[in-house]
Amino acid sequence: MVAEYWTVFPERPVFERKIHALLMSAREQMVRRKALLPGKKKTAAE
């Protein structure tokens, strides 16, 4: 993914939707990467 730079911030509702979408995407990527790690055992705390 190529970085996107904002020189002017959008209106607050648009900004909040974009930030939320970015956060959800990052969380999904973390889950996928964690699932692909070999030899990682789940503990009761997870």
Side-chain angles (χ1 to χ4, degrees), residues 6-39:
W6 294 337
T7 55
V8 177
F9 282 99
E11 296 294 323
R12 186 177 183 118
V14 175
F15 176 76
E16 288 177 349
R17 281 194 302 272
K18 287 187 176 203
I19 292 298
H20 180 73
L22 291 169
L23 178 61
M24 297 306 293
S25 175
R27 286 181 177 166
E28 290 170 4
Q29 287 179 2
M30 289 175 63
V31 168
R32 282 194 302 267
R33 288 179 183 165
K34 187 175 182 181
L36 295 176
L37 290 176

